[in-house]
Amino acid sequence: MMLKTKVLTFAATIFAFSSLAYAQSGESTYKQVCASCHGAGVLNAPKLGDKAKWAPLIAEGQVILTAHGYVGVRAMPAKGGSPNLSVEGFADALVYIVNNSGGKWTAPDAKTVVAINKEIEARKAGLNKK
Ligand code: HEC
């Protein structure tokens, strides 16, 4: 009984730490890559914290919005203009933006990352124009 409690506590601690790590990496990617436009609204980028602008985007859902942002939309450059940014890194930065702009997303799990990658391919192939 004691052991089981310890194991559960340990698992909860790991979980808390790993979600914290995710939150921090999303925040630092945001600051390094996205903030130059999304902080001040450069080129009419929806600003961090502008709930009215982000609400319809958030409503598209995490898979669609992450994939379309990653591929690039009009003045929004692919990968936020950072060629080495991974899908996961981009997704985490977007989670940070969304959670500071009226939404409540979590870092995508493996299944969601697969779906995002599929949507990226479809978007690139022009099969799924918005
Ligand atoms: C060079 C400026 C610039 C940078 C850097 C940038 N963005 Fe953007 N972003 C824009 C602009 C401009 C738009 C609005 C595009 C439009 O709708 O015309 C936009 C729109 C978006 C959208 C909405 C896309 C859609 O489907 O309408 C998402 C999501 C997004 N950005 C995420 C990010 C993330 C995450 C980063 C950092 C990893 C980032 N952006 C970095 C300029 C930028």
Side-chain angles (χ1 to χ4, degrees), residues 1-2 6 11 13-14 23 38 49 54 56-57 74 79 84-85 88 96 104 106 108 113 118 124 126 130:
M1 204 51 200
M2 283 279 284
K6 271 191 185 167
T13 307
I14 298 269
H38 288 275
W54 280 103
L57 296 169
R74 294 173 290 270
K79 306 181 184 183
N84 296 324
L85 188 60
E88 288 88 342
Y96 177 78
K104 201 166 189 288
T106 53
V113 170
K118 267 195 182 161
K124 278 186 183 160
K130 199 162 56 167

Coordinates of all heavy atoms in Angstrom, one line a residue, residues 1-2 6 11 13-14 23 38 49 54 56-57 74 79 84-85 88 96 104 106 108 113 118 124 126 130:
M1 N 0.8 -1.2 0.0 CA 0.0 0.0 0.0 C 0.9 1.3 0.0 O 0.7 2.1 -0.8 CB -0.9 0.0 1.2 CG -2.2 0.8 1.1 SD -3.1 0.4 -0.5 CE -4.1 1.9 -0.6
M2 N 1.8 1.3 0.9 CA 2.8 2.4 1.0 C 3.5 2.6 -0.4 O 3.6 3.7 -0.9 CB 3.9 2.1 2.1 CG 3.4 2.4 3.4 SD 3.4 4.1 3.8 CE 5.1 4.4 4.1
K6 N 3.7 5.7 -3.0 CA 4.9 6.3 -3.4 C 5.1 6.3 -5.0 O 5.5 7.3 -5.5 CB 6.1 5.5 -2.9 CG 6.5 6.0 -1.5 CD 7.8 5.4 -1.1 CE 8.2 5.8 0.4 NZ 9.2 5.1 0.9
A11 N 5.0 9.3 -10.0 CA 4.5 9.5 -11.4 C 3.9 10.9 -11.5 O 4.1 11.5 -12.5 CB 3.4 8.4 -11.7
T13 N 4.8 13.5 -9.9 CA 5.9 14.5 -9.9 C 6.5 14.6 -11.3 O 6.7 15.6 -11.8 CB 6.9 14.0 -8.9 OG1 6.3 13.8 -7.6 CG2 8.0 15.1 -8.8
I14 N 6.7 13.4 -11.9 CA 7.3 13.4 -13.3 C 6.4 14.1 -14.2 O 6.8 14.9 -15.0 CB 7.5 11.9 -13.7 CG1 8.4 11.1 -12.9 CG2 7.9 11.9 -15.2 CD1 9.8 11.1 -13.3
A23 N 5.8 23.7 -21.2 CA 5.3 25.1 -21.1 C 6.5 26.0 -21.3 O 6.4 27.0 -22.0 CB 4.6 25.3 -19.7
H38 N 4.2 38.6 -33.3 CA 3.0 38.4 -32.6 C 2.9 39.2 -31.3 O 1.9 39.3 -30.7 CB 2.7 36.9 -32.3 CG 2.3 36.2 -33.6 ND1 1.0 36.1 -34.0 CD2 3.0 35.5 -34.5 CE1 1.0 35.4 -35.2 NE2 2.2 35.1 -35.5
G49 N -2.5 37.6 -26.7 CA -3.5 38.2 -25.7 C -4.7 38.8 -26.3 O -5.6 39.2 -25.6
W54 N -7.9 35.9 -31.8 CA -7.5 34.5 -31.7 C -8.7 33.6 -31.6 O -8.6 32.4 -32.0 CB -6.5 34.3 -30.5 CG -5.1 34.6 -30.9 CD1 -4.4 35.8 -30.5 CD2 -4.2 33.9 -31.7 NE1 -3.2 35.8 -31.1 CE2 -3.0 34.7 -31.8 CE3 -4.3 32.7 -32.4 CZ2 -1.9 34.2 -32.6 CZ3 -3.2 32.3 -33.2 CH2 -2.0 33.0 -33.3
P56 N -11.5 33.0 -33.4 CA -11.9 32.2 -34.5 C -10.8 31.3 -35.0 O -11.0 30.2 -35.6 CB -12.2 33.3 -35.6 CG -11.5 34.5 -35.1 CD -11.5 34.4 -33.6
L57 N -9.5 31.7 -34.7 CA -8.4 30.8 -35.1 C -8.4 29.6 -34.2 O -8.2 28.4 -34.6 CB -7.1 31.6 -35.0 CG -6.9 32.7 -36.0 CD1 -5.7 33.6 -35.6 CD2 -6.9 32.2 -37.4
R74 N -0.3 33.5 -45.9 CA -0.1 34.9 -46.3 C 1.2 35.5 -45.7 O 2.3 34.9 -46.0 CB -1.3 35.8 -46.0 CG -2.6 35.4 -46.8 CD -3.8 36.1 -46.4 NE -4.3 35.7 -45.1 CZ -5.2 34.7 -44.9 NH1 -5.7 34.1 -45.9 NH2 -5.5 34.4 -43.7
K79 N 7.1 28.0 -40.6 CA 7.9 27.7 -39.4 C 8.2 29.0 -38.7 O 9.2 29.1 -38.0 CB 9.2 27.0 -39.8 CG 8.9 25.7 -40.6 CD 10.2 25.0 -40.9 CE 10.0 23.8 -41.7 NZ 11.2 23.0 -42.0
N84 N 14.7 25.7 -38.9 CA 15.0 24.5 -38.1 C 14.0 24.2 -37.1 O 14.1 23.2 -36.4 CB 16.4 24.6 -37.4 CG 17.5 24.7 -38.4 OD1 17.5 24.1 -39.5 ND2 18.5 25.5 -38.1
L85 N 12.9 24.9 -37.0 CA 11.9 24.7 -36.0 C 11.1 23.5 -36.4 O 10.5 23.3 -37.4 CB 11.0 25.9 -35.9 CG 10.0 25.9 -34.7 CD1 10.7 25.8 -33.4 CD2 9.1 27.2 -34.8
E88 N 6.9 19.9 -33.5 CA 6.6 19.9 -32.0 C 7.0 21.3 -31.4 O 6.2 21.8 -30.6 CB 7.3 18.8 -31.3 CG 6.8 17.4 -31.6 CD 7.4 16.8 -32.9 OE1 8.0 17.5 -33.7 OE2 7.3 15.5 -33.0
Y96 N 1.5 28.0 -26.2 CA 1.8 29.2 -25.4 C 1.0 30.4 -25.8 O 0.4 31.1 -24.9 CB 3.3 29.5 -25.4 CG 3.6 30.7 -24.5 CD1 3.7 30.6 -23.1 CD2 3.8 31.9 -25.1 CE1 4.0 31.7 -22.4 CE2 4.1 33.0 -24.4 CZ 4.2 32.9 -23.0 OH 4.4 34.0 -22.2
K104 N -7.3 27.1 -24.2 CA -6.8 26.2 -23.2 C -6.3 24.9 -23.9 O -7.1 24.0 -24.0 CB -7.8 25.9 -22.1 CG -7.2 25.4 -20.8 CD -8.3 25.5 -19.7 CE -7.7 25.2 -18.4 NZ -7.3 23.8 -18.2
T106 N -3.2 21.9 -24.7 CA -2.0 21.2 -24.1 C -1.1 20.8 -25.2 O -1.5 20.8 -26.4 CB -2.4 20.0 -23.3 OG1 -3.2 19.1 -24.2 CG2 -3.3 20.3 -22.1
P108 N 0.7 18.9 -27.9 CA 0.0 17.7 -28.6 C 0.7 16.4 -28.2 O 1.9 16.3 -28.1 CB 0.3 18.1 -30.1 CG 1.4 19.0 -30.1 CD 1.4 19.8 -28.8
V113 N 0.3 14.8 -33.0 CA 1.4 15.2 -33.9 C 1.3 14.5 -35.2 O 1.6 15.1 -36.3 CB 2.8 14.9 -33.2 CG1 3.9 15.1 -34.1 CG2 3.0 15.8 -31.9
K118 N 0.0 15.0 -41.0 CA -0.8 14.7 -42.2 C -1.4 15.9 -42.8 O -1.5 16.1 -44.0 CB -2.0 13.7 -41.7 CG -1.7 12.3 -41.9 CD -3.0 11.5 -41.8 CE -2.7 10.0 -41.9 NZ -3.8 9.2 -41.3
K124 N 0.3 21.4 -47.9 CA 1.4 21.6 -48.9 C 1.0 21.2 -50.3 O 1.3 21.8 -51.3 CB 2.7 20.9 -48.5 CG 3.5 21.5 -47.5 CD 4.8 20.8 -47.3 CE 5.7 21.3 -46.2 NZ 6.6 20.3 -45.7
G126 N -1.8 21.3 -51.4 CA -2.9 22.1 -51.9 C -4.2 21.4 -52.0 O -5.2 21.9 -52.7
K130 N -7.8 26.5 -47.3 CA -8.8 27.1 -46.4 C -9.7 28.1 -47.0 O -9.3 28.7 -47.9 CB -7.9 27.8 -45.3 CG -8.7 28.0 -44.0 CD -7.9 28.3 -42.8 CE -6.9 29.4 -42.9 NZ -6.4 29.8 -41.6

